[in-house]
Amino acid sequence: MTATINTDAPASRALTLLIAAWVLALSASLAVLFIGEILGQTPCHLCWFQRAFMFPLAVILGVAAWRSDVTVWIYAAPLAAMGGAVALYHWLLYAGIVPEPITPCTEKGPSCTDSAMQILGMPIPALSFLVFGLILLLLIQIRRKSS
């Protein structure tokens, strides 16, 4: 009886991580669309910038998962890092660490600083930073597993 070694295990693990990253990006994109389009809460400028990084991530990671392309980290990691940087700045504004008002949250709908703008007990800027960070960590793991 001979033992066989599964050499595809790292690739399979990388694909699983890629699907997890895609699910995070897709969930975040759908959540902000629900908040904006269904609940009618207009996002502030920083929320728009974060959307500009998250929406392409959902598409890029989805296509990469479909094609089993674990090299996508090369393109997706910079998007996640830049989106995470905007989210971190937004969170620091929200927390009052950066002494500048969040401008402009429009007159209709709550501001990012309102307690109504919390999901799972976390303010949206913090949640956005967490999701971008998780996606970036998954992409780093994909890189490690695929090399």
Side-chain angles (χ1 to χ4, degrees), residues 21 24-25 49-58 60-61 72-88 128-140:
L24 277 172
F49 286 124
Q50 291 167 71
R51 287 178 177 201
F53 290 109
M54 188 61 73
F55 290 171
L57 273 174
I60 290 169
L61 294 172
V72 71
W73 65 267
I74 297 168
Y75 309 106
L79 279 174
M82 290 185 287
V86 174
L88 177 62
S128 176
F129 178 69
L130 176 67
V131 171
F132 276 116
L134 287 172
I135 290 171
L136 190 57
L137 286 174
L138 287 169
L139 291 170
I140 290 168

Side-chain angles (χ1 to χ4, degrees), residues 42-50 86-107 109-115 117 123-126:
T42 307
C44 70
H45 285 321
L46 291 174
C47 288
W48 276 114
F49 286 124
Q50 291 167 71
V86 174
L88 177 62
Y89 178 70
H90 195 182
W91 188 16
L92 293 174
L93 283 173
Y94 175 89
I97 296 170
V98 175
E100 183 178 317
I102 298 176
T103 56
C105 285
T106 63
E107 295 85 38
S111 167
C112 292
T113 59
D114 289 346
S115 62
M117 294 304 289
I124 290 177

